[in-house]
Amino acid sequence: MIKIRNLVKRYERLTAVDNLTLDIEENEIFGLLGSNGAGKTTTIHMLATLLKPTSGTATVNGFDIVHQPAKVRESIGIVFQAPSSDDMLTGYENLYIHSLLYSLPRSIRQKRIEEVLELVGLSDRKNDRVKTYSGGMRRRLEIARGLLHKPKVMFLDEPTLGLDPASRETMWKYIRRLVEEEKITVILTTHYMEEADMLCNRIGVIDKGRIIALDTPTNLKAGLGGDIIRIKTQASNAEEIAKGFDFVHKLEYENGFMVLSVKDAKRDLPVLLKQIEAEYADFTSPTLNDVFIRLTGRNIKEAPEGGFSERFAKYD
Amino acid sequence: MPNTTDLQVHLAKLYAIWLREFKVFLREKSRLVASTFTPILWLFVIGSGIGSTVSVPSAPDLDYQKFIFPGIISMSIIFTSVFYGSYIIWDRKFDFLKSVMVAPVSRGTVFVGKTLGGMTNSLIQASILLVIGASIGISFNPVFILQAVAVILLLSFGLTSLGLALGSYMYSLEGFQMIVSFVVFPLFFLSGALFPLDNLPAWLSVLTAIDPATYGVNALRTTILDIESNNLAADLAILTAYTAALGIFGVYSFRRMKAV
Ligand SMILES: Nc1ncnc2c1ncn2[C@@H]1O[C@H](COP(=O)(O)OP(=O)(O)OP(=O)(O)O)[C@@H](O)[C@H]1O
Ligand SMILES: [Mg+2]
């Protein structure tokens, strides 16, 4: 659905997107995960034809982003990092104006507007000025606007930035629903690990303009070497038994616990417990945050030098 | 050759841009009130104050207040139109423009739509002033009114274009103040809105001749008061040329404006 080839965006002093090559399949939720200033927004802006690449190419829905911008625009919907509706107008009016800009036939205009309002749960507030909306409602209105013309591809730049945990989960629900109901491909950017993990079929970890890892969340985490099981036991043969299993990669002792590295604790722990008389057992799975730290040597909240967060401070 | 449906699609987009401008205009009442109040203040305070001591040599029968009436209408057009254009800085700051530019709409359409919005705005304000003009004894007839409306639309098209073009190069609201000092006030003061142009020092004559608003003021004076210059056709021709040039400059500026 999207083919990116050697895409580069260079500003005077830095390279915001550095030789990006990537394919995004139809009907997937693809996540670009990266810290502030990683180049996520810059990438989205180039794909949405708002920014000219310094070099390289990409096609969206088969259309070249540099040479066929109008075709690309008809194919995409986008939710920007910062809200972009006119807050002097009502939700409905904002959508109406965009329905004209996207040349929705008169006969279906109103029906389609009601439909997208329903989808994002704003029907009862449609005649209120956007000024009076909460942050979450504004974001949902932006999603509705992005969906109006039934785009093939939807870009969501930090769709849940600044939302509280409850609204964030509602937003995830909407995003999943729109992939199911509208059959579209979603590219979202985020620096919330949990979001990438819960929502995305595949994740590209982007750092300083480069994709440094690309896989499903499960595989990325599995790449770290599986889960960690901790067992407390008095049994003297425990170590011997544990070492007898193939799935145990490593065995250590820590604070009186026997610590085992295994591939999949949910399957392996019950097997172990059948053989070992344990007083206590638990396990932890690696998170995407562990993946990120492994890949970049940083926590995702720490921006690389010269982060870009200031510019969007008001939403963070 | 575009067929009718192409044309309709195009007009619908133009209408969309205009509609947004118009709705915002209707809702920003304070803007309308403020920008109508200032010209009224000028008309009555400056008009009567200065009018009590001076008269216009080329038209001794005409009191000063009446003389500056067309100038005050021009004043309202100059301020409103150029400001209107430069609100584009806000649109960009609040990302509304980005949402328009990512839609399949040409920059030219966005430009013209916004200009039409500015013209509507100016026309409404000028109409209010024209009505107030009746109270100072200005008499109208339908032909004059039609001519005046044509001049108002021409002038405001040109000046909204200018504001939009300048605004498209600016990224901060501080730039706004520059537009006021270096564009709006000179356009107004040099237009002859407040004084007759017959006996000016040479340097000032040159400047007034360069100011596009001069031709608008002249044309309005001719149509509304039937004095000053009798070469309405020449004024209109020059004004049209200016307006066309500013329109082209505006479209050019919009095309090269960065979207993000
Ligand atoms: N107009 C610009 N001029 C110069 N540098 C820019 C410009 N826009 C972005 N950059 C730089 O490009 C880099 C990538 O920015 P981008 O906005 O794509 O990051 P991001 O991943 O979206 O970050 P965030 O999570 O903060 O939104 C940053 O270092 C930023 O400073
Ligand atoms: Mg960003």
Side-chain angles (χ1 to χ4, degrees):
Chain A
M1 184 48 75
I2 299 182
K3 289 189 195 313
I4 306 174
R5 294 290 174 270
N6 307 99
L7 199 63
V8 174
K9 181 70 197 182
R10 210 169 279 128
Y11 291 110
E12 295 96 66
R13 296 212 316 269
L14 64 103
T15 305
V17 173
D18 194 359
N19 213 13
L20 194 73
T21 294
L22 183 65
D23 283 309
I24 292 165
E25 308 300 328
E26 203 164 332
N27 239 308
E28 78 171 326
I29 304 186
F30 184 89
L32 268 180
L33 179 70
S35 50
N36 289 139
K40 305 181 294 290
T41 300
T42 309
T43 305
I44 300 268
H45 280 166
M46 284 192 283
L47 294 178
T49 75
L50 288 171
L51 199 59
K52 276 218 164 60
T54 310
S55 64
T57 59
T59 58
V60 174
N61 194 24
F63 301 114
D64 187 290
I65 57 166
V66 177
H67 299 112
Q68 298 166 290
K71 289 284 180 201
V72 172
R73 286 179 201 167
E74 282 167 11
S75 319
I76 63 169
I78 183 166
V79 173
F80 296 108
Q81 186 162 349
S84 64
S85 296
D86 189 327
D87 63 4
M88 290 296 286
L89 303 184
T90 66
Y92 188 92
E93 288 169 336
N94 267 292
L95 295 179
Y96 180 72
I97 283 170
H98 276 81
S99 76
L100 294 173
L101 294 180
Y102 282 95
S103 314
L104 258 61
R106 180 194 297 266
S107 51
I108 63 161
R109 237 178 254 157
Q110 182 154 359
K111 188 166 148 279
R112 181 64 186 158
I113 294 174
E114 301 291 350
E115 225 170 74
V116 291
L117 280 166
E118 189 63 43
L119 184 73
V120 299
L122 279 178
S123 299
D124 53 334
R125 295 296 300 273
K126 65 179 181 185
N127 291 324
D128 294 344
R129 292 208 195 159
V130 174
K131 241 191 223 177
T132 67
Y133 286 15
S134 72
M137 293 165 71
R138 273 177 203 227
R139 296 232 127 217
R140 270 145 54 198
L141 178 64
E142 307 263 316
I143 293 194
R145 191 191 65 208
L147 287 173
L148 262 182
H149 56 293
K150 293 190 187 267
K152 290 274 196 303
V153 179
M154 185 83 173
F155 294 104
L156 305 170
D157 197 356
E158 315 244 4
T160 63
L161 191 63
L163 300 190
D164 63 36
S167 319
R168 183 166 299 156
E169 280 183 24
T170 318
M171 185 61 78
W172 293 347
K173 208 177 71 198
Y174 288 130
I175 295 172
R176 276 200 209 96
R177 195 152 118 200
L178 70 92
V179 173
E180 276 159 29
E181 289 182 14
E182 308 267 332
K183 299 266 172 290
I184 64 181
T185 308
V186 172
I187 293 91
L188 63 86
T189 78
T190 183
H191 59 254
Y192 295 118
M193 294 294 170
E194 200 195 348
E195 180 160 295
D197 204 352
M198 303 275 298
L199 205 53
C200 301
N201 306 119
R202 278 196 314 148
I203 294 173
V205 180
I206 181 170
D207 190 47
K208 296 177 185 160
R210 291 167 175 273
I211 293 276
I212 53 174
L214 178 68
D215 215 326
T216 62
T218 319
N219 287 347
L220 283 174
K221 288 182 290 190
L224 283 185
D227 302 337
I228 305 289
I229 291 176
R230 296 191 309 164
I231 293 177
K232 191 168 219 166
T233 175
Q234 304 295 343
S236 53
N237 61 346
E239 182 172 337
E240 200 183 320
I241 296 172
K243 279 185 169 161
F245 288 110
D246 287 349
F247 55 72
V248 175
H249 307 314
K250 216 165 88 181
L251 189 152
E252 290 167 336
Y253 286 94
E254 203 183 294
N255 305 329
F257 287 99
M258 187 165 78
V259 181
L260 307 171
S261 299
V262 300
K263 190 160 190 325
D264 181 359
K266 289 196 191 91
R267 245 189 4 230
D268 303 338
L269 185 56
V271 179
L272 280 166
L273 292 182
K274 264 188 207 136
Q275 308 273 333
I276 300 174
E277 191 87 11
E279 291 164 21
Y280 173 92
D282 68 10
F283 74 93
T284 51
S285 302
T287 62
L288 273 181
N289 200 36
D290 299 324
V291 175
F292 194 82
I293 291 171
R294 164 71 67 88
L295 288 167
T296 65
R298 290 192 317 274
N299 199 303
I300 193 156
K301 292 287 172 198
E302 305 161 15
E305 61 277 7
F308 196 42
S309 43
E310 315 81 57
R311 190 171 152 192
F312 297 110
K314 57 180 171 162
Y315 296 105
D316 206 8
Chain B
M1 187 71 203
N3 58 38
T4 38
T5 46
D6 267 358
L7 188 67
Q8 276 173 354
V9 161
H10 233 76
L11 286 178
K13 292 177 183 179
L14 201 58
Y15 169 69
I17 306 276
W18 173 85
L19 183 66
R20 181 260 177 173
E21 299 292 321
F22 188 58
K23 289 203 161 174
V24 171
F25 168 71
L26 289 182
R27 282 168 202 179
E28 295 265 29
K29 295 234 173 43
S30 58
R31 233 192 241 178
L32 176 65
V33 171
S35 52
T36 316
F37 181 70
T38 316
I40 293 175
L41 205 62
W42 277 76
L43 182 62
F44 286 99
V45 178
I46 303 283
S48 340
I50 297 191
S52 65
T53 59
V54 302
S55 64
V56 182
S58 53
D61 310 337
L62 195 70
D63 73 49
Y64 181 71
Q65 192 179 37
K66 276 191 190 149
F67 172 78
I68 64 167
F69 177 68
I72 295 301
I73 291 182
S74 308
M75 170 191 183
S76 119
I77 298 169
I78 294 169
F79 279 74
T80 311
S81 303
V82 180
F83 276 168
Y84 210 93
S86 39
Y87 284 129
I88 184 93
I89 304 174
W90 289 90
D91 279 2
R92 290 213 289 162
K93 204 161 178 68
F94 297 116
D95 278 343
F96 176 77
L97 201 62
K98 211 152 73 172
S99 79
V100 172
M101 303 226 266
V102 83
V105 188
S106 77
R107 295 284 177 94
T109 304
V110 178
F111 174 83
V112 176
K114 283 196 161 287
T115 310
L116 290 175
M119 289 163 72
T120 311
N121 188 343
S122 296
L123 187 60
I124 291 173
Q125 295 205 354
S127 308
I128 296 173
L129 292 173
L130 280 171
V131 171
I132 287 170
S135 77
I136 62 165
I138 304 282
S139 53
F140 301 101
N141 75 47
V143 179
F144 285 178
I145 289 185
L146 279 182
Q147 283 177 343
V149 166
V151 176
I152 289 166
L153 289 179
L154 262 179
L155 185 59
S156 78
F157 185 100
L159 296 181
T160 309
S161 301
L162 180 63
L164 282 170
L166 295 176
S168 77
Y169 293 93
M170 297 191 175
Y171 293 87
S172 69
L173 296 170
E174 287 75 53
F176 213 76
Q177 197 50 48
M178 294 255 294
I179 295 183
V180 177
S181 306
F182 290 99
V183 179
V184 177
F185 277 114
L187 278 175
F188 170 50
F189 285 129
L190 295 172
S191 68
L194 301 177
F195 46 81
L197 300 174
D198 332 278
N199 291 312
L200 298 178
W203 64 272
L204 194 52
S205 287
V206 171
L207 292 178
T208 56
I210 294 171
D211 184 351
T214 303
Y215 304 95
V217 172
N218 256 340
L220 275 181
R221 226 166 240 155
T222 314
T223 54
I224 296 177
L225 302 176
D226 209 11
I227 62 145
E228 180 98 26
S229 100
N230 292 316
N231 39 6
L232 182 61
D235 284 336
L236 284 179
I238 297 174
L239 187 59
T240 307
Y242 259 119
T243 297
L246 289 169
I248 291 168
F249 175 46
V251 174
Y252 166 80
S253 305
F254 258 51
R255 290 232 171 104
R256 65 172 294 291
M257 172 169 57
K258 291 209 170 80
V260 290

